[in-house]
Structures are given as C-alpha cells and as structure tokens.
Amino acid sequence: MNWKKIAMSFLLAAGLPLARNAQAQTTYEEMEQLTVNEQITTVITASEPVRFVDISTDKVAGDQPIDNIIRLKPKESGHGDGEILAIVTIVTERYRTQYALIYTTRMKEAVTDKEILLQERNAYNNPAVSMSTADMTHHARRIWNSPAKIRNVATKAHRMVMRLNNIYSVGNYFFIDFSIENKTNIRFDIDEIRIKLTDKKLAKATNAQTIELTPALVLEPGKTFRHGYRNVIVVKKMTFPNDKLLTIEMTEKQISGRNISLNIDYEDILAADSFHADLLEEE
C-alpha cells in the first residue's frame, strides 16, 4: 500500500484541513510521542477499521496487515536519540489521530504495542463512510436474532435447503438474512460465500453477464456447520433490471464439494423498503 502517493488526494477529497487557524494548530511537541527503534516493530491498534494512514517521511516503513492494525519500524540506524523521524496520521471510520515518532538508541525504550486511547481520538465525520462497521455489525446482529418474515424464497440441493429470512434496507445498505438447513449428517465446510448479479435465463443467453459484488460485511465468520447455518450479508444499496437475479452462492472446500445458491428477485429487494425499522431501534 503506497500511503505517501495518495496522502494529498485523500486529504483534499475527504475535506481534512491542510491548514488550521492559530487556535487549532498542533505541533509535534503537543502530540503523543512514540519512541521507535529499527530493531523493534511498533504495532498500533485502532478500535475500528483504519481507512487511511500517512507517514510523513521515508525514514519509517509501515504496513497494515489487518483492518485495525498498523505496523511501523525505522528503516535504518544512525539516528540520534530524540530525533523526530516522522509524523504518522491515522484515519479510521469515525476519528483520526497523530503520533510523533521519536528515535531511541535503547531498544528497551521503544514502544512495541500501542492502543489508540479515547483521549487521543479526534472525532471525524469521514465522508467516505456512510455507516461505520460497528453500527453495521450492530444492525446485522439484531436482524440475525430476529424471526424470519420471508417464507417463499428458497432453494433445494444436495438434501439442503437455503432460505431467505429477511431483507432490511438501512441507510445506503441492504441487509440480507439467509439460512441453510442441512438434512444430511455430513458436515459442510465452507470454501467461500459469493454474491453476484446473474441473468435469469443464464443458460439461454448469448451474452450472459455475471457481476461479482463485494459485501460490505459478512456477519458470521464461521467456516463449518453440520445441520443449521444462518448469516447476514450487507451489500451496498443498488438497483438492477428485472432480467437479473441477486444470487448468494455457497461452495464447499472438498474437490467434489457441494454448492448451493439462493436467487433473490428484484421484487424481493424492493420489499426491503417496506420493513419497519422498530427492530433496529430496540435496545
């Protein structure tokens, strides 16, 4: 990930101020300072997914191995104690923070593990995020625990039944709640879950097109089940023509593995807007 090249364009697009008035200015001396050493990896953990990171100089290398973790390490030795190597800026879905990275020649003084504390977070309305992952997960969990309201959308294959339970429209997203009943005694080891738009008459179409969709969230990470399975997939709100189906496909890991797909008609997607929001507002 080349953070340096996209830093300026992100700041402009996101509306982050490039200059502050005198009352709002912050110097590196006022920032939280993290001591670093080239022999030590400094791991910074955020409370939610990190959307953007900028390291102000090339003296420090960094990467983002998972959504809420940043790793930093000076590229070389030869710096003096107290030398400022870089300022690191971290922007999550709902806040941003900055740290001054200060070099130390003493390895035992280098910070190895840093959690972004509440008082270090500056609230930020990220225009690229219409719903935070935390809020999305909260809504999805309530839907997952709710009774099924849809009874007539299902698929049967390999002595399994895949059913659509609910569709909710929340903000800019559709929350699709589905379940699988496995009527065999053979455990199903999930290889992948895919969601896509497919032609209704795929077999007869001369120019059939399948569009793969990337879910914004898959609630349950579990990879195996024996008899019963339920999950909620969140996708960006969309419209599609009546000759298309929204398809959720689950495949098994084994070479001769089973697969099952659930086709959701556009009319069922439209019905999502008619569902009452009381479920999502309950505490």
Side-chain angles (χ1 to χ4, degrees):
M1 182 185 299
N2 193 332
W3 292 327
K4 292 293 293 177
K5 289 185 178 180
I6 65 172
M8 187 61 69
S9 61
F10 178 90
L11 293 172
L12 292 172
L16 286 173
L18 298 180
R20 301 176 179 179
N21 59 37
Q23 289 75 20
Q25 288 178 346
T26 302
T27 69
Y28 79 89
E29 292 177 336
E30 298 170 296
M31 295 177 188
E32 180 75 15
Q33 298 183 359
L34 304 182
T35 49
V36 294
N37 180 276
E38 74 279 0
Q39 299 297 321
I40 301 294
T41 297
T42 300
V43 177
I44 301 176
T45 303
S47 61
E48 60 186 34
V50 173
R51 292 301 184 95
F52 168 77
V53 177
D54 175 57
I55 303 173
S56 64
T57 73
D58 294 328
K59 297 177 182 179
V60 177
D63 69 351
Q64 185 176 341
I66 58 178
D67 283 349
N68 68 326
I69 297 289
I70 303 299
R71 295 187 298 196
L72 303 169
K73 182 188 288 188
K75 291 183 178 179
E76 56 188 22
S77 60
H79 305 289
D81 279 316
E83 181 179 343
I84 306 162
L85 297 190
I87 304 297
V88 59
T89 302
I90 300 170
V91 180
T92 71
E93 294 177 333
R94 294 178 293 184
Y95 62 83
R96 57 190 174 91
T97 192
Q98 290 182 305
Y99 296 112
L101 304 182
I102 309 298
Y103 186 78
T104 177
T105 56
R106 294 172 287 277
M107 289 176 51
K108 64 180 181 180
E109 294 181 357
V111 174
T112 58
D113 189 13
K114 170 62 181 173
E115 180 179 350
I116 300 177
L117 302 178
L118 186 61
Q119 63 267 28
E120 298 166 355
R121 305 171 193 173
N122 296 309
Y124 168 53
N125 183 21
N126 193 331
V129 179
S130 60
M131 183 182 298
S132 71
T133 300
D135 288 341
M136 197 177 290
T137 302
H138 172 76
H139 293 330
R141 179 61 60 189
R142 290 191 174 276
I143 293 169
W144 188 87
N145 285 313
S146 70
K149 294 185 177 181
I150 300 174
R151 305 287 184 181
N152 60 346
V153 181
T155 301
K156 296 181 180 180
H158 311 291
R159 295 182 62 194
M160 296 188 298
V161 182
M162 189 172 186
R163 291 188 177 89
L164 177 64
N165 300 318
N166 296 296
I167 303 178
Y168 278 87
S169 174
V170 185
N172 293 324
Y173 297 93
F174 287 123
F175 289 68
I176 303 171
D177 169 19
F178 69 97
S179 59
I180 297 175
E181 180 185 3
N182 181 9
K183 297 183 179 181
T184 75
N185 290 319
I186 303 172
R187 185 180 65 189
F188 193 103
D189 294 317
I190 302 170
D191 181 25
E192 60 179 347
I193 301 174
R194 301 169 66 190
I195 185 164
K196 50 193 176 181
L197 286 177
T198 57
D199 289 321
K200 282 186 178 180
K201 299 180 180 179
L202 188 61
K204 298 180 180 180
T206 56
N207 58 344
Q209 185 179 17
T210 297
I211 303 171
E212 194 90 18
L213 303 177
T214 302
L217 177 76
V218 178
L219 179 62
E220 289 296 325
K223 288 293 186 179
T224 185
F225 65 94
R226 185 172 294 276
H227 295 298
Y229 176 87
R230 187 172 179 178
N231 212 336
V232 177
I233 288 181
V234 184
V235 295
K236 194 81 172 179
K237 193 176 285 186
M238 76 198 87
T239 58
F240 55 90
N242 286 328
D243 62 348
K244 295 283 188 182
L245 293 169
L246 185 65
T247 300
I248 301 174
E249 180 184 68
M250 181 181 289
T251 56
E252 196 174 19
K253 285 183 178 180
Q254 303 170 18
I255 296 176
S256 58
R258 296 160 289 180
N259 66 77
I260 188 167
S261 299
L262 180 67
N263 294 322
I264 305 172
D265 195 89
Y266 186 48
E267 295 299 320
D268 296 311
I269 296 293
L270 289 178
D273 288 331
S274 67
F275 291 164
H276 202 276
D278 284 349
L279 172 69
L280 305 177
E281 297 170 355
E282 292 174 358
E283 293 297 337

